[in-house]
Amino acid sequence: MKKKNALVTGASRGIGLAIADCFKKQGINVLAPGRKELDLLSKDSIANYLAGLKCPVDILVNNAGINMLGGIVSLEERNIQETIQVNLLAPLDIIRNVAPRMMHKKYGRILNIGSIWGLITKPGRVTYTLTKSGLGGLTRSMAVELAPYNVLVNCVAPGYVDTELTRKNNTSRELEKIKKSIPLQRLANPGEIAELAYFLCSDKNTYITGQTIAIDGGYLCV
Ligand SMILES: NC(=O)c1ccc[n+]([C@@H]2O[C@H](COP(=O)([O-])OP(=O)(O)OC[C@H]3O[C@@H](n4cnc5c(N)ncnc54)[C@H](OP(=O)(O)O)[C@@H]3O)[C@@H](O)[C@H]2O)c1
């Protein structure tokens, strides 16, 4: 069987790297462009990268994301524009580009990496929450439009994952407190998110589409 091609954004570290490694172990050919090849802040960079793709994308994982904390009063214009561009408009743009080939091939898997902060929120996360909840809407609308073409579209909403992003936004003291508030009493490993991502993007998933699936150690239950 021909190898499937997966494009994974933000695969230089953290969750994206774990997803890329997991896919490779499963025999998938992974395209993991670095920021120099694909900068999601730049519409030109996105257009150029996609125009230069040498192979069709069978699986797309919109993983790259940023989370600049800031409440409504102190919110900077840069925070608003960049968060919306990287977390929401770039995934939309990439889907617009790869969907026609998937529709033509009558096969595709698209996975957006959302967040529990797209389902709940807390102070200082307005731009992050608005983009991650937007990804839920993007997921549902794409799932409905692309279902007749056997293209399944889902969203994974991780809770606290042990990555640079989490360590940047929370002190180690805060993290100790956070762990106690999670029913499973620990952060997720990026590899645990990757396993769920792989299942949703594999041929084993034949009937889940349009869903936002939390993977949070039970955090949303308490
Ligand atoms: N960590 C968590 O607890 C958590 C929880 C829920 C959801 N998430 C979501 O999961 C995803 C990955 O998070 P993570 O914790 O692995 O983050 P991370 O460790 O900060 O890694 C972020 C990745 O995104 C890339 N990226 C950022 N801005 C980019 C841009 N303008 N163009 C291209 N790539 C860019 C980074 O590339 P560079 O190396 O070039 O910076 C890096 O590869 C994000 O969407 C995040 O919102 C994370």
Side-chain angles (χ1 to χ4, degrees):
M1 264 181 54
K2 247 186 119 186
K3 267 191 165 193
K4 293 205 167 70
N5 302 310
L7 169 59
V8 183
T9 66
S12 65
R13 55 190 149 91
I15 295 171
L17 178 61
I19 293 173
D21 285 346
C22 174
F23 281 17
K24 282 181 202 163
K25 278 191 195 128
Q26 298 295 339
I28 296 169
N29 178 41
V30 176
L31 308 171
R35 182 100 57 124
K36 278 189 189 143
E37 295 161 90
L38 175 61
D39 181 356
L40 302 176
L41 279 170
S42 155
K43 284 180 186 299
D44 286 347
S45 172
I46 296 171
N48 290 338
Y49 177 77
L50 293 170
L53 273 180
K54 303 262 183 308
C55 59
V57 174
D58 306 299
I59 301 167
L60 165 66
V61 182
N62 280 314
N63 162 77
I66 52 176
N67 182 1
M68 297 186 261
L69 301 183
I72 193 70
V73 177
S74 61
L75 208 55
E76 286 174 19
E77 186 63 23
R78 181 176 144 256
N79 177 331
I80 301 171
Q81 297 301 336
E82 292 189 1
T83 308
I84 293 174
Q85 174 57 35
V86 173
N87 292 7
L88 194 54
L89 297 181
L92 171 62
D93 238 6
I94 301 175
I95 292 172
R96 278 172 69 209
N97 269 275
V98 303
R101 283 292 286 271
M102 290 180 175
M103 291 160 83
H104 180 71
K105 283 178 84 176
K106 286 256 173 9
Y107 183 88
R109 297 285 184 273
I110 297 173
L111 186 67
N112 298 313
I113 305 298
S115 167
I116 53 165
W117 305 116
L119 301 167
I120 58 168
T121 194
K122 66 179 184 179
R125 278 176 167 72
V126 56
T127 52
Y128 194 64
T129 290
L130 87 86
T131 55
K132 293 298 186 179
S133 31
L135 274 184
L138 175 63
T139 299
R140 286 187 292 280
S141 49
M142 288 301 92
V144 169
E145 262 192 52
L146 301 178
Y149 304 93
N150 189 33
V151 177
L152 276 50
V153 188
N154 287 291
C155 178
V156 161
Y160 286 94
V161 187
D162 190 5
T163 70
E164 273 180 41
L165 185 65
T166 301
R167 287 187 290 274
K168 180 174 74 88
N169 285 340
N170 305 277
T171 63
S172 40
R173 210 180 205 192
E174 282 166 339
L175 283 176
E176 283 315 307
K177 220 172 142 194
I178 285 164
K179 281 182 199 169
K180 293 198 178 89
S181 70
I182 300 169
L184 284 179
Q185 304 269 295
R186 63 174 178 85
L187 308 184
N189 301 313
E192 292 175 304
I193 313 303
E195 290 294 332
L196 176 59
Y198 172 66
F199 171 76
L200 290 169
C201 292
S202 74
D203 288 343
K204 285 187 179 167
N205 175 25
T206 50
Y207 209 60
I208 303 174
T209 196
Q211 302 305 306
T212 295
I213 300 174
I215 172 164
D216 66 349
Y219 188 78
L220 292 180
C221 297
V222 291

